[in-house]
Amino acid sequence: MSDVLFTWHNNSDSISELECGLQLAQDSNAASLLILACNDNNFTKQNINPLIRHCNIPIFGGIYPKLIYKKQLMEQGCIIIGFKQIVNVSLITQVSTLDTDEKLEKVIEQTLPSQDQLTSNDSFLMFYDALSSHIESFIDCLFACLDHHIKIIGGGAGSLDFKQRPCIFTNEGLLADVIQLVCLQSKIVTGATHGWQILQGPFLVSEAHKQTVKSLNYSPAFNIYKEAIENVSEHKFDSKNFFDIAKHFPLGIEDINNQLVVRDPILAYGDFIECVGNVPVNSMVYLLDGSIDSLLNASKEAAISATYDVDDSGFSATMVFDCISRVLFMQDSFSQELDLIAEQCFDQSFFGVLSLGEIANNQSGAIKLLNKSTVIGSW
């Protein structure tokens, strides 16, 4: 079992405080370390690498807009989680150059443990640079290569200014444009929900390229999106307020299980809308909205699913990957979401991140990139 042996957190952006935490973690006899840090710490390769390169045990994790420790939302500081056992950490670098399925399959086969080293309870955490290209192609290939049932949760690291910087902790140092897969030795139980509901649609995605929606119903995408929102709300778009309005009105793609996969519009330029995650051509999308109550109910549902103890052995940890746009939407009410999740955690450690995109299995087992969602795992 990859049980948690050590937990530490600190609300300081000080490098010396992190150094103390790392020393305490190694003195605890932890065999592997998960390190999480807030973006507002302003950590750089220059001040972080000397510390983490001196760690003589496997490390993994990332820098995120905000962190969660128990019921506390952290805007500065770090969390360190020490594991009793050595966990297998696979690192895929230069992800944005892996632009074909052949390249992705090759690097997965070369990097991940071989099939005979994996068991039927394969459970993964995934940390990745949110601004890397080909993330969705990677998880599709990952699922195809690991041709048995796996469970995975994860989330994109980085900052809300959407500028790519080194943001993943590795034994080599702080890296950008990478994916980190952590194979846990214990079974993970997961839950993933969002709470957004259909407001209008569907609209045909008549032109798109990966994350960029160019036209809906054969008309400029932004015009259709803008008109739909202004017709049903008091919001009016101008040259500066796209994100402030769009955080209330995501798009939803209906999947083969009749579930909505949410896409978060983050930018409009000209007639185009840029989303976090691909929007396929010829798919049907809906305009969504939500309320504080619908989002809270969804997060409670995810927490219940992720803390259901199927084998009566108990959990040592519960980790949440919660979309940063949820706290931007819910504002002060986000504390209620943390309370609802914490109520389900009993005695295990509860921690997590506010992420830029979330990774989880859907109902059929396929791995999906989610937006504006709450993804929770317990092990």
Side-chain angles (χ1 to χ4, degrees), residues 316-334:
S316 64
T318 293
M319 184 172 186
V320 57
F321 292 88
D322 215 341
C323 183
I324 181 62
S325 65
R326 290 176 71 89
V327 73
L328 298 177
F329 175 79
M330 299 173 75
Q331 298 184 3
D332 291 343
S333 297
F334 187 73

Side-chain angles (χ1 to χ4, degrees), residues 39 53 73 76 139 142 145 154 161 165 177 180 203 215 234 238 246 250 260 274 288 297 302 345 367 370-371 374:
N39 179 71
R53 285 175 178 168
L73 180 63
Q76 282 189 332
I139 60 176
L142 177 67
C145 290
D161 65 8
R165 304 179 183 88
D177 198 24
Q180 200 172 54
F203 305 93
S215 70
E234 297 180 353
D238 59 34
L260 291 172
E274 189 82 6
L288 309 180
N297 289 335
C345 291
I367 308 170
L370 310 176
N371 297 160
T374 300

